[in-house]
Amino acid sequence: MENINEMYELAKKAYAEFGIDTDAVIEKLKNIPISIQCWQGDDVKGFESKGPLTGGIQTTGNYPGAARNIEELQADFDKAASLIPGKKKICLHAIYLDNKGETVPRDQIKPEHYDVWIKWAKEKGYGVNLDPTCFSHPLSEDGFTLSHHDEKIRKFWIDHVIATRKIAEYIGKEMGQVCASNYWIPDGFKDIPVDRKGYRERLEDSLDQIFSVPVDPKYNIASLEGKVFGIGAESCTIGSNDFYLGYCAKKGQYLTLDAGHFHPTEVISDKISTALQFTPGLLLHVSRPVRWDSDHVVIFDDELKAIAQEIIRSNELDRILIGLDFFDASINRVAAWTIGARNLQKALLYALLEPTELLKKYEVEMDYTSRLALLETLKSYPFTAVWQKYCLECGVPTGYSWMSEIKEYEKQVLSKR
Ligand code: RNT
Ligand code: ZN
């Protein structure tokens, strides 16, 4: 610990040369909430039914110890949260309801089905987000929900999203803070369709119906997530990024950008500034696509740093909801959460330690040499010393020791499931 403080003092001086106050950076980072996806803990199964995961997304691997019920998922999340610095929210999907052993149709979910989460989150000091679940259901089996040509099926999904919207507002009120809801639907065609227009018009109409139900934006914000393709929907995705960017810009809704939802050479770090310019705000699904939307655990790579830099440089933190979206079933799931969330925090710290104004000055002076030289120099600045100090202040392990806690938890808890 003494070493950490000594190293921190040296780092503080180094960054001060560029006018950066590392103490202030640490305080700022402590207050940036990160939404952590509950579904990493159980491979997106949820507690509604034993049906398969559908909608063109997939988990692979069968590492032992997946959570089988709400108590186990909460305990696993608590373990990960104890190893992750900063302010945390849990992101739930509607299928993580507490149905008390009864089957609850998705269009009839109620606030009481989520009270168990609210109570726990209040006790532990987490925030809560809630997403509607428009997949893994018999009525999404033929690949369409909010854009379905069958009016009865489409109505069912509209009612499900509206029910979730009201519950999310209730959660927000209970928690005294906004409960964000990400709307993602899998709708799309395996093979080339002839009526793209009709499906997209119906999707617009469904969203209009959903948003005509008022909620207090202090307690619920919805955000719309587009995608390039899903498994089984390779030829056309109804809710493409173009569709939602247009919808959100025109109708004043938040847009979700998922790092895995674009063509392989497109990056969301380049899309953040555009989306911020034309929408009220953004929700980010920070993920790691490997050749496709594979939802690998987020690592400390260039794109993660670039995403964090765009968030911080934008100076629009109050319009950006930051969330993680990955699910890897081939490794210890508590470790997966911990690795991904720590990396996101690390990237935000890295971005906060940048002398952005100086770099901008070089840029307008067209002194691109200095811009490149400084950006490269910063890569070997003592940012790990600031990271360790931040972890210390947040009461979480500073280095690799967190992994022995995971091993112990695996031995005592996960391996016995
Ligand atoms: C799917 C989307 C979506 C889901 C979660 C479970 O491609 O990324 O966000 O991963 O809602
Ligand atoms: Zn996503």
Side-chain angles (χ1 to χ4, degrees):
M1 191 157 109
E2 248 164 54
N3 275 350
I4 290 177
N5 283 322
E6 270 170 41
M7 290 198 317
Y8 176 67
E9 289 309 317
L10 293 174
K12 192 172 160 167
K13 281 203 194 100
Y15 284 106
E17 282 172 33
F18 291 112
I20 290 166
D21 177 350
T22 51
D23 291 342
V25 162
I26 287 176
E27 283 317 303
K28 188 162 185 184
L29 186 55
K30 278 183 192 164
N31 289 306
I32 302 177
I34 301 296
S35 171
I36 303 174
Q37 74 292 18
C38 78
W39 51 91
Q40 167 60 73
D42 77 329
D43 314 334
V44 210
K45 289 197 183 82
F47 307 123
E48 182 198 66
S49 72
K50 297 235 172 307
L53 173 61
T54 67
I57 56 176
Q58 203 153 62
T59 49
T60 54
N62 53 359
Y63 199 87
R68 294 162 302 178
N69 52 50
I70 294 181
E71 300 76 59
E72 289 181 355
L73 189 58
Q74 289 179 342
D76 293 356
F77 189 89
D78 283 338
K79 186 70 221 176
S82 74
L83 306 172
I84 300 164
K87 220 183 198 174
K88 293 163 276 279
K89 294 182 90 174
I90 183 163
C91 185
L92 300 171
H93 245 282
I95 50 169
Y96 288 79
L97 80 171
D98 174 20
N99 60 12
K100 301 177 175 74
E102 314 248 315
T103 310
V104 184
R106 269 191 221 176
D107 55 348
Q108 283 163 48
I109 50 170
K110 303 260 156 16
E112 70 210 43
H113 298 124
Y114 301 86
D115 279 337
V116 63
W117 289 106
I118 296 173
K119 186 168 169 278
W120 165 80
K122 276 185 185 163
E123 265 167 40
K124 307 289 165 127
Y126 313 134
V128 180
N129 291 330
L130 177 70
D131 300 347
T133 312
C134 300
F135 52 89
S136 301
H137 189 279
L139 288 183
S140 66
E141 207 120 279
D142 41 30
F144 298 92
T145 62
L146 293 180
S147 73
H148 210 294
H149 58 266
D150 179 328
E151 286 301 312
K152 273 210 291 300
I153 297 180
R154 186 161 79 96
K155 173 84 168 47
F156 172 84
W157 290 110
I158 292 171
D159 289 346
H160 168 61
V161 180
I162 291 174
T164 311
R165 183 170 168 79
K166 290 181 183 156
I167 298 165
E169 184 190 40
Y170 163 83
I171 293 175
K173 281 186 185 153
E174 280 291 312
M175 302 300 299
Q177 53 170 254
V178 75
C179 171
S181 295
N182 181 61
Y183 295 0
W184 170 69
I185 60 162
D187 300 29
F189 286 98
K190 182 183 176 76
D191 222 330
I192 305 157
V194 291
D195 189 20
R196 294 173 200 256
K197 188 166 177 278
Y199 283 82
R200 290 193 164 123
E201 282 170 355
R202 279 193 296 277
L203 177 54
E204 179 181 12
D205 176 73
S206 297
L207 292 169
D208 288 350
Q209 288 190 45
I210 292 161
F211 291 128
S212 74
V213 176
V215 291
D216 186 338
K218 265 212 316 262
Y219 300 120
N220 178 239
I221 289 177
S223 188
L224 306 176
E225 181 180 25
K227 181 164 175 170
V228 61
F229 84 99
I231 299 171
E234 289 85 357
S235 295
C236 170
T237 292
I238 308 305
S240 59
N241 185 61
D242 294 353
F243 176 90
Y244 287 122
L245 183 59
Y247 187 93
C248 293
K250 185 170 171 190
K251 305 199 175 171
Q253 297 293 342
Y254 270 56
L255 180 77
T256 299
L257 295 173
D258 181 311
H261 287 195
F262 296 88
H263 288 288
T265 59
E266 280 183 278
V267 280
I268 65 166
S269 53
D270 183 49
K271 299 177 187 296
I272 291 172
S273 49
T274 304
L276 277 173
Q277 211 173 323
F278 299 108
T279 66
L282 292 185
L283 191 156
L284 299 179
H285 267 188
V286 180
S287 190
R288 179 168 57 108
V290 178
R291 304 192 188 281
W292 70 292
D293 183 27
S294 59
D295 289 290
H296 277 64
V297 176
V298 165
I299 58 172
F300 194 60
D301 58 9
D302 286 349
E303 175 57 4
L304 180 66
K305 278 183 264 186
I307 291 168
Q309 284 166 331
E310 285 299 310
I311 295 172
I312 299 301
R313 290 171 184 166
S314 75
N315 228 342
E316 300 262 28
L317 266 176
D318 52 346
R319 292 207 290 139
I320 306 177
L321 305 163
I322 310 169
L324 292 163
D325 183 15
F326 53 79
F327 32 99
D328 188 340
S330 74
I331 59 173
N332 180 306
R333 295 169 185 80
V334 182
W337 266 325
T338 310
I339 294 164
R342 279 177 76 102
N343 280 334
L344 176 54
Q345 288 273 340
K346 237 183 237 180
L348 288 167
L349 178 67
Y350 185 83
L352 285 165
L353 290 170
E354 175 189 273
T356 309
E357 290 314 311
L358 179 58
L359 286 161
K360 278 190 193 163
K361 184 175 153 287
Y362 290 151
E363 198 160 85
V364 294
E365 286 167 356
M366 290 195 266
D367 183 359
Y368 303 136
T369 316
S370 298
R371 183 184 63 184
L372 181 63
L374 180 51
L375 282 169
E376 288 306 299
T377 302
L378 287 166
K379 287 182 178 169
S380 49
Y381 254 53
F383 116 91
T384 46
V386 186
W387 167 251
Q388 290 190 318
K389 175 74 171 171
Y390 173 60
C391 288
L392 199 64
E393 289 203 4
C394 292
V396 304
T398 56
Y400 188 52
S401 71
W402 65 263
M403 192 53 200
S404 46
E405 291 204 35
I406 300 259
K407 288 269 186 219
E408 190 55 26
Y409 188 73
E410 178 166 306
K411 202 164 124 210
Q412 302 298 340
V413 183
L414 301 177
S415 67
K416 295 185 179 146
R417 288 181 186 162

